[in-house]
């Protein structure tokens, strides 16, 4: 009997140990499964929030992002959405006895972060589906052609420094430079913009936009006196190397801007800013100021090309020679300076006519010929009366083409100013819309509790923390576009 008692005790000890071991294994399995279930639910919660992307931003501008403020409801709305999903998944009629204890928005990456890096990436991926790079070749040819025209012009001016007049001093008349100055006295915008179609001068506030109203240098051809040959030579120089590099790097962004925003010659959408592309280029606070800035920039590109044509046109140079001969009689004025400054003045006048053509929605010939040259050196006073003649040849360039070139020069601010316009336009429908709140990646710190059922020493083997009879499972989950 004594042996039987010892065996019973021994079996009880063994059975108790086996039972505890079994319950521990069951509990560890239960906790591990609970952790896996919580992790899967956490991933689903982040996907739920990701699916709540801003609909208008995607439909109008093809950008995927979540509004972290949810139309003024605050960041807590994102946390509440994730928590509601987790509670429904883990607590609703489940036998695992789990509860969601914490959901905190831990990290956000916005469309404007890192100089709009993700915005640029999304635009690039979208435009790759719709734009072929053939247009890149034409733009590169335009940039290279302009640079060469400037270089050839400078060389021609330098080569003519010792040139002497063969003409008599028989010319009489008014210096064409004075005529041009009088013609442009009221501003060049009145000459190049179609009558009655000048854009609004109303001011809009840019200080609270993503770009914070920062504008670049407002370059323009300021000197219409054409009385300093050295200054004129400097202005003819055009270094297109940087523009070529930026064009290649931002080709898709440039064409995204041209496809999704309005310009002076094609403003068909009902938006507060009518000259949107012009704003992206100049960043001014009115449509009129932005169009004026673009006009001045086109002059800087167009004038060297027109001047280069005059350097090859002997007939038109001959028309200038007698005028230059008379003007060179003035003390301190050389024939060389008079001739080339007069030709520069003439090229400037032709450039204004070209811009008038462009703003009328028509095209000009990139390198002029005798047939497509419009102005006369002896009649620069009637620029305002000249018709905008359209050119349809293979080497034509229109206003949109020049805008593409100007965008390539200004890619440093391009994405921020596109963000400005997106904010202006979408805030017409949703007052609280701000691009600064648009996030493409976010993370949640999540803590889920699971009730203990069996062995109390599972904590050391499962990696789960136990407190007050509950295991704590902690996660950081991320989602993005």
């Amino acid at each position: 009997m004594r042996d039987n008692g010892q065996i019973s005790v021994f079996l009880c000890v063994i059975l108790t140990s086996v039972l505890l071991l079994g319950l521990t294994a069951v509990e560890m399995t239960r906790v591990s499964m609970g952790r896996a279930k919580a992790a899967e639910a956490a991933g689903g919660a982040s996907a739920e929030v990701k699916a709540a992307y801003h609909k208008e931003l995607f439909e109008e501008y093809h950008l995927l992002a979540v509004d972290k403020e949810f139309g003024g409801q605050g960041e807590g709305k994102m946390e509440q959405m994730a928590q509601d999903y987790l509670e429904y998944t883990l607590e609703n009629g489940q036998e695992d006895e789990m509860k969601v204890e914490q959901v905190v928005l831990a990290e956000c990456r916005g469309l404007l972060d890192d100089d709009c890096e993700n915005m640029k990436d999304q635009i690039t991926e979208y435009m790759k589906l719709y734009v072929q790079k053939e247009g890149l070749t034409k733009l590169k040819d335009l940039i290279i052609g302009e640079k060469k025209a400037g270089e050839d012009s400078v060389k021609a001016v330098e080569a003519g420094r010792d040139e002497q007049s063969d003409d008599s001093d028989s010319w009489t008349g008014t210096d064409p430079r004075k005529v041009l100055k009088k013609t442009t006295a009221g501003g060049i915008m009145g000459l190049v913009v179609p009558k009655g179609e000048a854009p609004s001068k109303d001011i809009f506030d840019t200080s609270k936009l993503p770009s914070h109203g920062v504008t670049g240098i407002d370059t323009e051809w300021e000197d219409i006196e054409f009385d300093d040959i050295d200054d004129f030579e400097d202005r003819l120089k055009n270094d297109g190397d940087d523009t070529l590099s930026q064009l290649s790097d931002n080709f898709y962004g440039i064409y995204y801007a041209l496809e999704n925003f309005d310009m002076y010659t094609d403003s068909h959408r009902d938006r507060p800013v009518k000259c949107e592309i012009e704003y992206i280029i100049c960043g001014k606070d009115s449509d009129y100021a932005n169009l004026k800035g673009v006009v001045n920039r086109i002059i800087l590109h167009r004038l060297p090309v027109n001047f280069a044509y005059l350097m090859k046109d002997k007939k038109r140079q001959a028309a200038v020679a007698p005028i230059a001969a008379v003007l060179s009689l003035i003390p301190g004025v050389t024939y060389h300076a008079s001739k080339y400054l007069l030709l520069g003045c003439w090229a400037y006048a032709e450039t204004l006519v070209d811009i008038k053509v462009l703003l009328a929605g028509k095209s000009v010939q990139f390198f002029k010929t005798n047939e497509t040259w419009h102005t006369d050196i002896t009649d620069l006073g009637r620029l305002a009366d000249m018709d905008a003649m359209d050119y349809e040849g293979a080497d034509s360039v229109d206003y949109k083409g020049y805008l593409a070139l100007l965008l390539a020069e200004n890619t440093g601010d391009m994405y921020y100013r596109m963000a400005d316009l997106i904010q202006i336009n979408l805030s017409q429908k949703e007052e609280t819309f701000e691009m600064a709140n648009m996030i493409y990646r976010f993370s949640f710190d999540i803590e889920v509790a699971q009730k203990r059922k069996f062995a109390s020493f599972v904590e050391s083997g499962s990696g789960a923390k136990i407190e007050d009879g509950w295991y704590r499972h902690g996660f950081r989950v991320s989602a993005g576009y």
Side-chain angles (χ1 to χ4, degrees), residues 78-113:
M78 290 180 66
E79 296 172 343
Q80 188 60 52
M81 287 178 65
Q83 182 151 344
D84 289 346
Y85 181 93
L86 287 164
E87 289 176 350
Y88 179 83
T89 304
L90 299 176
E91 298 181 10
N92 189 22
Q94 302 295 325
E95 298 179 358
D96 299 294
E97 297 186 60
M98 304 179 77
K99 64 179 179 179
V100 182
E101 294 204 328
Q102 177 178 275
V103 178
V104 177
L105 186 62
E107 183 181 7
C108 297
R109 299 294 297 168
L111 288 179
L112 303 181
D113 289 350

mmCIF file of all heavy atoms in Angstrom, residues 78-113:
data_model
loop_
_atom_site.group_PDB
_atom_site.id
_atom_site.type_symbol
_atom_site.label_atom_id
_atom_site.label_comp_id
_atom_site.label_asym_id
_atom_site.label_seq_id
_atom_site.Cartn_x
_atom_site.Cartn_y
_atom_site.Cartn_z
ATOM 1 N N MET A 78 -7.689 60.382 -38.500
ATOM 2 C CA MET A 78 -6.946 59.239 -39.033
ATOM 3 C C MET A 78 -6.793 58.166 -37.950
ATOM 4 O O MET A 78 -6.979 56.968 -38.214
ATOM 5 C CB MET A 78 -5.574 59.676 -39.529
ATOM 6 C CG MET A 78 -5.595 60.536 -40.781
ATOM 7 S SD MET A 78 -3.941 61.028 -41.320
ATOM 8 C CE MET A 78 -3.249 59.433 -41.797
ATOM 9 N N GLU A 79 -6.460 58.603 -36.752
ATOM 10 C CA GLU A 79 -6.299 57.650 -35.644
ATOM 11 C C GLU A 79 -7.621 56.966 -35.325
ATOM 12 O O GLU A 79 -7.661 55.755 -35.066
ATOM 13 C CB GLU A 79 -5.764 58.387 -34.417
ATOM 14 C CG GLU A 79 -4.382 58.968 -34.621
ATOM 15 C CD GLU A 79 -3.943 59.863 -33.474
ATOM 16 O OE1 GLU A 79 -4.817 60.302 -32.687
ATOM 17 O OE2 GLU A 79 -2.742 60.139 -33.385
ATOM 18 N N GLN A 80 -8.719 57.727 -35.362
ATOM 19 C CA GLN A 80 -10.029 57.154 -35.058
ATOM 20 C C GLN A 80 -10.449 56.135 -36.113
ATOM 21 O O GLN A 80 -11.021 55.082 -35.786
ATOM 22 C CB GLN A 80 -11.069 58.270 -34.964
ATOM 23 C CG GLN A 80 -12.427 57.799 -34.455
ATOM 24 C CD GLN A 80 -12.338 57.206 -33.057
ATOM 25 O OE1 GLN A 80 -11.796 57.832 -32.145
ATOM 26 N NE2 GLN A 80 -12.858 55.990 -32.879
ATOM 27 N N MET A 81 -10.145 56.430 -37.396
ATOM 28 C CA MET A 81 -10.469 55.479 -38.464
ATOM 29 C C MET A 81 -9.729 54.163 -38.251
ATOM 30 O O MET A 81 -10.311 53.077 -38.379
ATOM 31 C CB MET A 81 -10.084 56.065 -39.821
ATOM 32 C CG MET A 81 -10.983 57.172 -40.315
ATOM 33 S SD MET A 81 -10.420 57.835 -41.907
ATOM 34 C CE MET A 81 -10.650 56.400 -42.969
ATOM 35 N N ALA A 82 -8.445 54.253 -37.915
ATOM 36 C CA ALA A 82 -7.660 53.042 -37.690
ATOM 37 C C ALA A 82 -8.177 52.292 -36.467
ATOM 38 O O ALA A 82 -8.285 51.053 -36.472
ATOM 39 C CB ALA A 82 -6.194 53.404 -37.514
ATOM 40 N N GLN A 83 -8.509 53.049 -35.419
ATOM 41 C CA GLN A 83 -8.998 52.398 -34.198
ATOM 42 C C GLN A 83 -10.343 51.733 -34.428
ATOM 43 O O GLN A 83 -10.581 50.609 -33.938
ATOM 44 C CB GLN A 83 -9.098 53.425 -33.065
ATOM 45 C CG GLN A 83 -9.551 52.803 -31.746
ATOM 46 C CD GLN A 83 -9.027 53.543 -30.539
ATOM 47 O OE1 GLN A 83 -8.104 54.329 -30.639
ATOM 48 N NE2 GLN A 83 -9.614 53.274 -29.398
ATOM 49 N N ASP A 84 -11.224 52.376 -35.148
ATOM 50 C CA ASP A 84 -12.543 51.778 -35.432
ATOM 51 C C ASP A 84 -12.374 50.467 -36.197
ATOM 52 O O ASP A 84 -13.077 49.479 -35.910
ATOM 53 C CB ASP A 84 -13.389 52.746 -36.248
ATOM 54 C CG ASP A 84 -13.854 53.946 -35.439
ATOM 55 O OD1 ASP A 84 -13.745 53.901 -34.194
ATOM 56 O OD2 ASP A 84 -14.300 54.938 -36.054
ATOM 57 N N TYR A 85 -11.455 50.451 -37.155
ATOM 58 C CA TYR A 85 -11.220 49.229 -37.932
ATOM 59 C C TYR A 85 -10.681 48.116 -37.027
ATOM 60 O O TYR A 85 -11.141 46.968 -37.098
ATOM 61 C CB TYR A 85 -10.222 49.516 -39.051
ATOM 62 C CG TYR A 85 -9.934 48.318 -39.934
ATOM 63 C CD1 TYR A 85 -10.651 48.102 -41.097
ATOM 64 C CD2 TYR A 85 -8.935 47.398 -39.588
ATOM 65 C CE1 TYR A 85 -10.397 47.003 -41.906
ATOM 66 C CE2 TYR A 85 -8.668 46.301 -40.385
ATOM 67 C CZ TYR A 85 -9.395 46.103 -41.541
ATOM 68 O OH TYR A 85 -9.139 45.007 -42.317
ATOM 69 N N LEU A 86 -9.731 48.462 -36.174
ATOM 70 C CA LEU A 86 -9.139 47.468 -35.275
ATOM 71 C C LEU A 86 -10.171 46.935 -34.286
ATOM 72 O O LEU A 86 -10.229 45.721 -34.023
ATOM 73 C CB LEU A 86 -7.961 48.089 -34.523
ATOM 74 C CG LEU A 86 -6.691 48.317 -35.344
ATOM 75 C CD1 LEU A 86 -5.751 49.263 -34.616
ATOM 76 C CD2 LEU A 86 -5.994 46.991 -35.619
ATOM 77 N N GLU A 87 -10.972 47.813 -33.730
ATOM 78 C CA GLU A 87 -11.980 47.375 -32.756
ATOM 79 C C GLU A 87 -13.013 46.468 -33.418
ATOM 80 O O GLU A 87 -13.437 45.460 -32.827
ATOM 81 C CB GLU A 87 -12.655 48.596 -32.133
ATOM 82 C CG GLU A 87 -11.733 49.357 -31.177
ATOM 83 C CD GLU A 87 -12.376 50.619 -30.632
ATOM 84 O OE1 GLU A 87 -13.467 50.988 -31.147
ATOM 85 O OE2 GLU A 87 -11.790 51.225 -29.722
ATOM 86 N N TYR A 88 -13.420 46.811 -34.626
ATOM 87 C CA TYR A 88 -14.384 45.973 -35.321
ATOM 88 C C TYR A 88 -13.801 44.597 -35.622
ATOM 89 O O TYR A 88 -14.484 43.572 -35.498
ATOM 90 C CB TYR A 88 -14.806 46.653 -36.626
ATOM 91 C CG TYR A 88 -15.803 45.838 -37.429
ATOM 92 C CD1 TYR A 88 -17.155 45.881 -37.133
ATOM 93 C CD2 TYR A 88 -15.366 45.005 -38.463
ATOM 94 C CE1 TYR A 88 -18.075 45.123 -37.852
ATOM 95 C CE2 TYR A 88 -16.266 44.246 -39.194
ATOM 96 C CZ TYR A 88 -17.617 44.312 -38.886
ATOM 97 O OH TYR A 88 -18.513 43.541 -39.590
ATOM 98 N N THR A 89 -12.510 44.578 -35.990
ATOM 99 C CA THR A 89 -11.868 43.322 -36.371
ATOM 100 C C THR A 89 -11.517 42.460 -35.171
ATOM 101 O O THR A 89 -11.675 41.231 -35.201
ATOM 102 C CB THR A 89 -10.582 43.607 -37.167
ATOM 103 O OG1 THR A 89 -10.914 44.428 -38.289
ATOM 104 C CG2 THR A 89 -9.949 42.310 -37.664
ATOM 105 N N LEU A 90 -11.048 43.069 -34.096
ATOM 106 C CA LEU A 90 -10.507 42.311 -32.969
ATOM 107 C C LEU A 90 -11.477 42.144 -31.809
ATOM 108 O O LEU A 90 -11.356 41.193 -31.027
ATOM 109 C CB LEU A 90 -9.237 42.996 -32.453
ATOM 110 C CG LEU A 90 -8.081 43.115 -33.449
ATOM 111 C CD1 LEU A 90 -6.940 43.903 -32.831
ATOM 112 C CD2 LEU A 90 -7.612 41.735 -33.897
ATOM 113 N N GLU A 91 -12.422 43.038 -31.657
ATOM 114 C CA GLU A 91 -13.269 43.008 -30.460
ATOM 115 C C GLU A 91 -14.701 42.571 -30.747
ATOM 116 O O GLU A 91 -15.430 42.204 -29.829
ATOM 117 C CB GLU A 91 -13.309 44.403 -29.818
ATOM 118 C CG GLU A 91 -11.958 44.894 -29.337
ATOM 119 C CD GLU A 91 -12.051 46.274 -28.698
ATOM 120 O OE1 GLU A 91 -13.182 46.754 -28.468
ATOM 121 O OE2 GLU A 91 -10.995 46.869 -28.420
ATOM 122 N N ASN A 92 -15.090 42.617 -31.994
ATOM 123 C CA ASN A 92 -16.492 42.387 -32.329
ATOM 124 C C ASN A 92 -16.805 40.889 -32.374
ATOM 125 O O ASN A 92 -16.589 40.216 -33.376
ATOM 126 C CB ASN A 92 -16.823 43.034 -33.680
ATOM 127 C CG ASN A 92 -18.315 43.009 -33.980
ATOM 128 O OD1 ASN A 92 -19.139 42.901 -33.086
ATOM 129 N ND2 ASN A 92 -18.642 43.110 -35.261
ATOM 130 N N GLY A 93 -17.337 40.345 -31.264
ATOM 131 C CA GLY A 93 -17.780 38.957 -31.224
ATOM 132 C C GLY A 93 -16.667 37.939 -31.323
ATOM 133 O O GLY A 93 -16.885 36.817 -31.757
ATOM 134 N N GLN A 94 -15.455 38.264 -30.898
ATOM 135 C CA GLN A 94 -14.322 37.355 -30.974
ATOM 136 C C GLN A 94 -14.112 36.654 -29.630
ATOM 137 O O GLN A 94 -14.462 37.180 -28.566
ATOM 138 C CB GLN A 94 -13.049 38.116 -31.371
ATOM 139 C CG GLN A 94 -13.158 38.852 -32.691
ATOM 140 C CD GLN A 94 -13.328 37.901 -33.852
ATOM 141 O OE1 GLN A 94 -12.767 36.809 -33.863
ATOM 142 N NE2 GLN A 94 -14.110 38.316 -34.843
ATOM 143 N N GLU A 95 -13.498 35.490 -29.693
ATOM 144 C CA GLU A 95 -13.255 34.713 -28.467
ATOM 145 C C GLU A 95 -11.854 34.949 -27.907
ATOM 146 O O GLU A 95 -11.512 34.389 -26.869
ATOM 147 C CB GLU A 95 -13.429 33.212 -28.760
ATOM 148 C CG GLU A 95 -14.841 32.854 -29.208
ATOM 149 C CD GLU A 95 -14.978 31.369 -29.511
ATOM 150 O OE1 GLU A 95 -13.956 30.652 -29.405
ATOM 151 O OE2 GLU A 95 -16.087 30.938 -29.843
ATOM 152 N N ASP A 96 -11.055 35.749 -28.600
ATOM 153 C CA ASP A 96 -9.675 35.954 -28.157
ATOM 154 C C ASP A 96 -9.567 36.971 -27.031
ATOM 155 O O ASP A 96 -8.501 37.140 -26.452
ATOM 156 C CB ASP A 96 -8.807 36.434 -29.328
ATOM 157 C CG ASP A 96 -8.778 35.420 -30.444
ATOM 158 O OD1 ASP A 96 -8.230 34.330 -30.228
ATOM 159 O OD2 ASP A 96 -9.334 35.717 -31.529
ATOM 160 N N GLU A 97 -10.694 37.619 -26.713
ATOM 161 C CA GLU A 97 -10.717 38.629 -25.648
ATOM 162 C C GLU A 97 -9.593 39.638 -25.835
ATOM 163 O O GLU A 97 -8.698 39.770 -25.006
ATOM 164 C CB GLU A 97 -10.632 37.951 -24.271
ATOM 165 C CG GLU A 97 -11.814 37.043 -23.990
ATOM 166 C CD GLU A 97 -11.784 36.509 -22.570
ATOM 167 O OE1 GLU A 97 -11.810 37.335 -21.636
ATOM 168 O OE2 GLU A 97 -11.722 35.283 -22.412
ATOM 169 N N MET A 98 -9.637 40.382 -26.969
ATOM 170 C CA MET A 98 -8.634 41.391 -27.286
ATOM 171 C C MET A 98 -9.293 42.774 -27.282
ATOM 172 O O MET A 98 -10.485 42.912 -27.544
ATOM 173 C CB MET A 98 -8.006 41.112 -28.660
ATOM 174 C CG MET A 98 -7.400 39.721 -28.788
ATOM 175 S SD MET A 98 -6.702 39.388 -30.416
ATOM 176 C CE MET A 98 -5.172 40.302 -30.313
ATOM 177 N N LYS A 99 -8.507 43.755 -26.940
ATOM 178 C CA LYS A 99 -9.013 45.130 -26.983
ATOM 179 C C LYS A 99 -7.908 46.066 -27.474
ATOM 180 O O LYS A 99 -6.720 45.837 -27.245
ATOM 181 C CB LYS A 99 -9.524 45.567 -25.614
ATOM 182 C CG LYS A 99 -8.460 45.642 -24.537
ATOM 183 C CD LYS A 99 -9.063 46.106 -23.217
ATOM 184 C CE LYS A 99 -7.997 46.172 -22.117
ATOM 185 N NZ LYS A 99 -8.573 46.658 -20.829
ATOM 186 N N VAL A 100 -8.324 47.117 -28.174
ATOM 187 C CA VAL A 100 -7.393 48.101 -28.715
ATOM 188 C C VAL A 100 -7.167 49.171 -27.657
ATOM 189 O O VAL A 100 -8.117 49.831 -27.221
ATOM 190 C CB VAL A 100 -7.941 48.743 -30.005
ATOM 191 C CG1 VAL A 100 -6.945 49.738 -30.577
ATOM 192 C CG2 VAL A 100 -8.280 47.668 -31.022
ATOM 193 N N GLU A 101 -5.918 49.336 -27.248
ATOM 194 C CA GLU A 101 -5.633 50.290 -26.185
ATOM 195 C C GLU A 101 -5.072 51.609 -26.696
ATOM 196 O O GLU A 101 -5.258 52.641 -26.052
ATOM 197 C CB GLU A 101 -4.638 49.675 -25.188
ATOM 198 C CG GLU A 101 -5.219 48.490 -24.443
ATOM 199 C CD GLU A 101 -4.519 48.268 -23.114
ATOM 200 O OE1 GLU A 101 -3.311 48.564 -23.036
ATOM 201 O OE2 GLU A 101 -5.182 47.804 -22.170
ATOM 202 N N GLN A 102 -4.383 51.570 -27.867
ATOM 203 C CA GLN A 102 -3.766 52.816 -28.331
ATOM 204 C C GLN A 102 -3.544 52.788 -29.835
ATOM 205 O O GLN A 102 -3.089 51.787 -30.385
ATOM 206 C CB GLN A 102 -2.416 53.030 -27.616
ATOM 207 C CG GLN A 102 -1.656 54.263 -28.081
ATOM 208 C CD GLN A 102 -0.365 54.461 -27.322
ATOM 209 O OE1 GLN A 102 -0.341 55.045 -26.254
ATOM 210 N NE2 GLN A 102 0.713 53.943 -27.881
ATOM 211 N N VAL A 103 -3.880 53.872 -30.477
ATOM 212 C CA VAL A 103 -3.550 54.094 -31.895
ATOM 213 C C VAL A 103 -3.047 55.535 -32.011
ATOM 214 O O VAL A 103 -3.800 56.482 -31.767
ATOM 215 C CB VAL A 103 -4.764 53.893 -32.818
ATOM 216 C CG1 VAL A 103 -4.377 54.181 -34.269
ATOM 217 C CG2 VAL A 103 -5.319 52.476 -32.695
ATOM 218 N N VAL A 104 -1.779 55.688 -32.351
ATOM 219 C CA VAL A 104 -1.170 57.024 -32.420
ATOM 220 C C VAL A 104 -0.519 57.214 -33.787
ATOM 221 O O VAL A 104 0.241 56.353 -34.244
ATOM 222 C CB VAL A 104 -0.108 57.213 -31.308
ATOM 223 C CG1 VAL A 104 0.561 58.581 -31.450
ATOM 224 C CG2 VAL A 104 -0.750 57.064 -29.936
ATOM 225 N N LEU A 105 -0.816 58.340 -34.439
ATOM 226 C CA LEU A 105 -0.166 58.691 -35.698
ATOM 227 C C LEU A 105 1.280 59.084 -35.386
ATOM 228 O O LEU A 105 1.540 60.083 -34.728
ATOM 229 C CB LEU A 105 -0.903 59.846 -36.371
ATOM 230 C CG LEU A 105 -0.440 60.245 -37.769
ATOM 231 C CD1 LEU A 105 -0.638 59.093 -38.751
ATOM 232 C CD2 LEU A 105 -1.190 61.481 -38.261
ATOM 233 N N ALA A 106 2.218 58.255 -35.867
ATOM 234 C CA ALA A 106 3.603 58.423 -35.442
ATOM 235 C C ALA A 106 4.454 59.230 -36.407
ATOM 236 O O ALA A 106 5.313 60.010 -35.993
ATOM 237 C CB ALA A 106 4.244 57.035 -35.244
ATOM 238 N N GLU A 107 4.250 59.057 -37.692
ATOM 239 C CA GLU A 107 5.126 59.697 -38.671
ATOM 240 C C GLU A 107 4.352 59.967 -39.952
ATOM 241 O O GLU A 107 3.550 59.152 -40.391
ATOM 242 C CB GLU A 107 6.324 58.793 -38.971
ATOM 243 C CG GLU A 107 7.334 59.402 -39.912
ATOM 244 C CD GLU A 107 8.497 58.463 -40.194
ATOM 245 O OE1 GLU A 107 8.433 57.288 -39.761
ATOM 246 O OE2 GLU A 107 9.456 58.898 -40.850
ATOM 247 N N CYS A 108 4.591 61.134 -40.550
ATOM 248 C CA CYS A 108 3.940 61.499 -41.807
ATOM 249 C C CYS A 108 4.979 62.043 -42.776
ATOM 250 O O CYS A 108 5.908 62.749 -42.384
ATOM 251 C CB CYS A 108 2.870 62.576 -41.578
ATOM 252 S SG CYS A 108 1.499 62.060 -40.537
ATOM 253 N N ARG A 109 4.788 61.723 -44.048
ATOM 254 C CA ARG A 109 5.631 62.294 -45.103
ATOM 255 C C ARG A 109 4.707 62.984 -46.100
ATOM 256 O O ARG A 109 3.813 62.371 -46.673
ATOM 257 C CB ARG A 109 6.439 61.214 -45.811
ATOM 258 C CG ARG A 109 7.394 60.442 -44.902
ATOM 259 C CD ARG A 109 8.495 61.330 -44.385
ATOM 260 N NE ARG A 109 9.331 61.832 -45.472
ATOM 261 C CZ ARG A 109 10.216 62.804 -45.323
ATOM 262 N NH1 ARG A 109 10.344 63.424 -44.160
ATOM 263 N NH2 ARG A 109 10.939 63.179 -46.346
ATOM 264 N N GLY A 110 4.920 64.290 -46.275
ATOM 265 C CA GLY A 110 4.032 65.087 -47.102
ATOM 266 C C GLY A 110 4.486 65.221 -48.548
ATOM 267 O O GLY A 110 5.670 65.034 -48.864
ATOM 268 N N LEU A 111 3.552 65.568 -49.416
ATOM 269 C CA LEU A 111 3.875 65.782 -50.825
ATOM 270 C C LEU A 111 4.906 66.890 -51.016
ATOM 271 O O LEU A 111 5.650 66.901 -51.990
ATOM 272 C CB LEU A 111 2.607 66.144 -51.607
ATOM 273 C CG LEU A 111 1.581 65.041 -51.869
ATOM 274 C CD1 LEU A 111 0.399 65.607 -52.639
ATOM 275 C CD2 LEU A 111 2.195 63.878 -52.630
ATOM 276 N N LEU A 112 4.955 67.838 -50.082
ATOM 277 C CA LEU A 112 5.876 68.971 -50.213
ATOM 278 C C LEU A 112 7.232 68.717 -49.568
ATOM 279 O O LEU A 112 8.146 69.543 -49.716
ATOM 280 C CB LEU A 112 5.251 70.225 -49.582
ATOM 281 C CG LEU A 112 3.890 70.664 -50.125
ATOM 282 C CD1 LEU A 112 3.425 71.937 -49.424
ATOM 283 C CD2 LEU A 112 3.941 70.880 -51.628
ATOM 284 N N ASP A 113 7.384 67.588 -48.859
ATOM 285 C CA ASP A 113 8.653 67.302 -48.185
ATOM 286 C C ASP A 113 9.773 67.054 -49.198
ATOM 287 O O ASP A 113 9.522 66.560 -50.312
ATOM 288 C CB ASP A 113 8.511 66.073 -47.279
ATOM 289 C CG ASP A 113 7.648 66.368 -46.052
ATOM 290 O OD1 ASP A 113 7.335 67.552 -45.830
ATOM 291 O OD2 ASP A 113 7.275 65.413 -45.347
#
